[in-house]
Amino acid sequence: MSAVQAVEALAGDAYEGPVRSHRPQSLLLSFFGALVVDFDLPPLPSMTLLDLLADLGVTEAAARATLKRMTQRGLLSRGQVGRTAEYLLTPLAEDVLRQARERVASPTPFEHPEGEWTLLSYSMPESRRDLRHRVRARLTWAGFGGLRDGLWIAPGTVDVAAVLGRSDLADVAGLADAFAARVLPGTDVDRLVRRAWDVPAVRDAHAWFIENWSRPPRISGSLAQLTLLGADWLSLLRTDPGLPAAHLGADWPAPTSAAAYRRVFDGLEPAARAALERSLRSNRR
């Protein structure tokens, strides 16, 4: 599995109105990112992961198939101790999760220095149309919106070399040109933002997140709740790259979303870590 595909899985499904669902792989990557990476845990028994997904409504058959696919795609490595299967994150998966964590944990993930933009221009040869989806997914996660075919814009200063520097996108990197940009007088920034992003959909995604996490969701246990919170948060981060609030109205909800995420995460994390430790002890007997 390529890094760009892993980022897509990590980001989860896009906002889809009042009901949101996540693929089991997205849920597992949310769990690993919040509670496993860099916490020096032993390999995780399969039952710990199966129980977690069961609490989130995933059937055992679907959960086992997900673990198998993640192993085949190079995100997990599988071991065996007696009759117990155990799983570890691969270096690729750890790298992807660490990259995402900087923005996930930021107290101001939707803010950029005022007036800073990044422009990216690239051309996609007809012979390489297989790359189109991967490029778009990677650019979307990095905060870019499309102005027109082959021309993308992102708020703030984006490290484009890191965005397109993976080996699976090396051909595109050689066809791309990036510029640090500022808006010249006479440019209608309000119109520009609304051309590159679906602003009403971004607002709706914030409203959904705030409403959904204003009270505990009806799922079993803090471990499952923290996992679902992370998956929902990643979807919101993917939807809103940090659009400039100055052009979106005084009631733009991004600060409220960030505060809600931090409040709920801080409230759930201690209990979720304790639940994970109990699960590891129980499933290693």
Side-chain angles (χ1 to χ4, degrees):
M1 186 182 200
S2 70
V4 95
Q5 290 168 312
V7 167
E8 281 190 271
L10 178 63
D13 298 327
Y15 175 73
E16 296 177 351
V19 177
R20 184 194 299 275
S21 61
H22 298 284
R23 292 167 293 181
Q25 180 170 294
S26 301
L27 293 169
L28 285 179
L29 287 171
S30 168
F31 158 75
F32 280 114
L35 296 170
V36 177
V37 173
D38 295 330
F39 282 100
D40 196 28
L41 292 178
L44 303 183
S46 60
M47 285 309 302
T48 292
L49 303 176
L50 296 176
D51 289 345
L52 169 64
L53 290 176
D55 286 342
L56 291 164
V58 179
T59 66
E60 182 175 345
R64 290 188 182 278
T66 298
L67 291 173
K68 182 177 180 180
R69 284 195 300 271
M70 292 178 71
T71 302
Q72 292 170 339
R73 293 170 177 173
L75 293 174
L76 295 176
S77 61
R78 184 183 187 278
Q80 192 82 23
V81 177
R83 299 179 62 183
T84 300
E86 296 183 333
Y87 292 89
L88 277 174
L89 287 167
T90 64
L92 166 66
E94 289 184 338
D95 181 50
V96 169
L97 291 167
R98 287 191 186 103
Q99 287 180 43
R101 185 166 55 194
E102 182 176 349
R103 189 169 182 227
V104 166
S106 170
T108 55
F110 302 108
E111 294 183 13
H112 300 284
E114 186 176 354
E116 286 189 8
W117 298 89
T118 302
L119 278 177
L120 175 69
S121 174
Y122 74 89
S123 58
M124 183 71 67
E126 286 298 317
S127 61
R128 300 310 312 271
R129 296 182 68 180
D130 58 302
L131 290 175
R132 190 177 302 275
H133 177 71
R134 278 182 281 163
V135 171
R136 288 179 178 272
R138 186 68 171 167
L139 291 179
T140 298
W141 173 247
F144 283 91
L147 284 173
R148 59 180 62 90
D149 189 32
L151 182 63
W152 293 66
I153 189 169
T157 300
V158 179
D159 185 351
V160 175
V163 173
L164 299 178
R166 297 288 181 178
S167 59
D168 61 327
L169 295 179
D171 291 348
V172 177
L175 299 170
D177 298 297
F179 307 88
R182 61 184 176 85
V183 176
L184 295 176
T187 301
D188 188 339
V189 179
D190 291 11
R191 186 172 65 86
L192 181 148
V193 169
R194 286 164 174 78
R195 198 167 89 209
W197 292 277
D198 186 344
V199 172
V202 176
R203 181 184 286 276
D204 286 349
H206 279 289
W208 185 94
F209 184 87
I210 293 165
E211 171 65 21
N212 194 57
W213 288 100
S214 65
R215 59 191 184 281
R218 295 181 179 179
I219 55 176
S220 175
S222 56
L223 192 58
Q225 288 179 345
L226 191 72
T227 296
L228 184 60
L229 171 69
D232 284 350
W233 183 236
L234 282 160
S235 287
L236 183 57
L237 292 176
R238 187 173 188 265
T239 301
D240 182 359
L243 301 183
H247 298 277
L248 298 168
D251 62 343
W252 186 246
T256 304
S257 294
Y261 169 75
R262 182 48 52 191
R263 181 182 67 252
V264 177
F265 182 90
D266 289 346
L268 287 173
E269 185 184 22
R273 290 201 179 280
L276 177 57
E277 291 174 5
R278 289 193 299 271
S279 178
L280 292 176
R281 288 196 299 269
S282 174
N283 288 315
R284 284 181 172 279
R285 291 175 181 172

